[in-house]
DNA sequence: TAGATTGTTAATCGATTAACAATC
DNA sequence: TAGATTGTTAATCGATTAACAATC
C-alpha cells in the first residue's frame, strides 16, 4: 500500500488533464513521461504535477519520469474510471440530452441506462439510444436498473423535491447541474456543477483585461 | 469609488449563488438581507459571505444587513450581468445546442446571435431560434454580428485551430467547453469549463464516503 | 560520469476563519 | 438601551512553490 497523501480538491480536479496528456503520449508509443513535460503542456509548474500525481500512489523513476502505461492505469483507477458507473439522467431537456450524448464520458466509465422526464410525451422515446421513462416510475426503477448515480438536469424549482425522491429510492450519488444547492444526507455524495460561476469568472476576467 | 478589495477566484465563483438568494428575497418583498441568512441558506460562514460581498463594493447596515435591491444591482453590475453580451456558439452539436437552449443564461445578459457548424447539412437550420451558419463564414461574420464572445463546443481535436481562427477574427473572449487547453494571446480571455474535473471530484468523494 | 528527474521537507503565499470595535 | 450585524485587522489554515538530497 502506498502512503496516504493529502488530497486537495484542486489536485483531484487537475488529474483528468494529466490523464489526457498521458493517454496521448501512450498512443505515441513513448514509455516514460516526465512531470516537466506535462507541466509545459498544461502551463503548470513541474513540482505541482509531481505533488498531484503523488496522491494517486504512482512512483516515478528519477531521470526517466513516470511509466506511461502505469500512469494511465493508476490515474484511471484512482478516479474509479476503470469501472462501469451506471447512471440515470433526471430531466431529459436540452442539457440532459446533451450530457447523454456527450461521448467523452464513456472513457470515464459512465453509462447512461435511462432518462426520466415529467413530460408524458417524452416517455417511450429514446435519446441517443437511451430510453426515456415517465418521472413517476423513478422510485420503482432505481433498483432494477442497478443505478447508484443520478445526473440532475431539471428546472431549479424541482431540484430539491427530486433529490429527496432520488435519495429515498436508494441513489447514493447526485451530480447536480441545477444552480439550486440541494440538501441530502451525508451518506449521499452531491457534486454541484454550476455553469453560472464559470460565466462569473469569465466576466470579471474580461473587465480586468480591459482595465489593463 | 469603493476601496479596491482582493478578489479571489473562489469569491467570484460564489457571487452567483448570493445573487440567486438575493433575487429570491427581493421577490418576497424583504428590504434587507443579512450575511447570516445567506450563509445559512448556502451552508457557508457569515464572515465568508461578508468578505465576498465586500469585493463588489456594496456596503451593508449594521443590525439590518444589506439593502436587497441595491445588493442585486451591485452584484449584477460587478459581474457585468446588467449588460448584453452578444455571443456565438462554435460547434452546434449536443452541448452547443443545449447551451443555446439554456434559459438561465438570459438573466446573465448572454445573447446568442448565431451558431457555426462544419456540417453543411446544419447550415440554414435554427436551434432554439438561433441561425446555424457554415463554419467557413466564421471569420467574415464576427464583425457584422457584433460579437466579442464565443462558446467553444467542438470536438477536442479542432479546439486549437478554431481558437486561432476566432482570435484572428477579432473575438476577445472564449468560453471553452472542450477538455483541450487552448492557447490564446493574453489579450484574449479564456475560461475553461471542464466537466471531467467535476466527475473526478464526484468519483473521489464517493470512495471517501464508502471507506467512511 | 554528468545531467535530469523524482520525492521529501521547508518556506511562502493566499484564502478562510476568528476576534472585536463600530454602529444602527 | 440591548442585541444583532457590519467591516476591519489579526490569526489560522491549507495549497502552492522552493530547496535539495537521492537516484537512475
Amino acid at each position: 500500500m502506498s502512503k496516504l497523501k493529502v488530497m486537495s480538491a484542486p489536485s483531484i480536479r487537475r488529474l483528468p488533464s494529466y490523464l489526457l496528456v498521458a493517454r496521448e503520449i501512450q498512443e505515441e508509443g513513448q514509455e516514460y513521461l516526465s512531470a516537466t513535460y506535462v507541466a509545459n503542456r498544461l502551463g503548470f509548474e513541474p513540482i505541482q504535477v509531481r505533488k498531484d500525481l503523488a496522491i494517486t500512489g504512482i512512483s516515478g523513476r528519477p531521470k526517466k519520469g513516470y511509466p506511461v502505461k502505469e500512469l494511465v492505469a493508476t490515474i484511471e483507477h484512482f478516479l474509479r474510471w476503470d469501472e462501469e458507473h451506471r447512471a440515470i439522467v433526471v430531466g431529459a431537456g436540452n442539457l440532459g440530452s446533451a450530457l447523454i450524448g456527450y461521448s467523452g464520458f464513456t472513457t470515464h466509465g459512465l453509462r447512461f441506462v435511462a432518462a426520466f422526464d415529467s413530460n408524458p410525451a417524452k416517455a417511450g422515446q429514446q435519446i441517443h439510444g437511451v430510453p426515456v421513462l415517465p418521472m413517476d416510475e423513478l422510485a420503482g426503477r432505481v433498483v432494477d436498473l442497478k443505478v447508484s448515480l443520478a445526473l440532475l438536469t431539471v428546472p431549479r424549482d424541482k431540484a430539491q423535491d427530486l433529490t429527496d425522491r432520488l435519495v429515498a429510492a436508494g441513489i447514493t450519488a447526485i451530480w447536480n447541474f441545477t444552480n439550486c444547492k440541494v440538501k441530502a444526507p451525508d451518506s449521499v455524495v452531491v457534486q454541484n456543477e454550476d455553469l453560472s460561476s464559470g460565466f462569473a469568472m469569465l466576466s470579471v476576467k474580461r473587465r480586468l483585461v480591459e482595465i489593463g
Side-chain angles (χ1 to χ4, degrees), chain A residues 5 20 23-24 39 50 54 60 66 72 84 116 121 145 166 196:
Chain A
K5 302 277 177 178
L20 232 48
R23 277 186 185 144
E24 207 178 282
R50 297 206 299 276
Y66 301 85
V72 168
E84 185 182 76
F116 290 87
L145 287 169
L166 286 167
S196 299

Side-chain angles (χ1 to χ4, degrees), chain A residues 150-162:
Chain A
L151 278 68
L152 196 59
T153 53
V154 295
R156 119 177 217 85
D157 56 306
K158 284 168 192 152
Q160 186 59 57
D161 174 52
L162 281 163

Side-chain angles (χ1 to χ4, degrees), chain A residues 79-131:
Chain A
L79 296 177
R80 300 193 141 194
W81 290 0
D82 57 349
E83 314 166 25
E84 185 182 76
H85 300 278
R86 295 169 65 87
I88 54 174
V89 172
V90 179
N94 292 315
L95 185 58
S97 304
L99 292 171
I100 291 172
Y102 180 52
S103 55
F105 288 150
T106 52
T107 61
H108 305 157
L110 202 50
R111 181 156 159 229
F112 299 111
V113 296
F116 290 87
D117 203 280
S118 56
N119 181 353
K122 285 192 186 170
Q125 293 185 356
Q126 294 213 336
I127 296 172
H128 303 287
V130 172

Side-chain angles (χ1 to χ4, degrees), chain A residues 4 11 72-73 78 111 117 162 193 195:
Chain A
L4 248 171
S11 294
V72 168
F78 181 82
R111 181 156 159 229
D117 203 280
L162 281 163
E193 216 63 50
L195 291 178

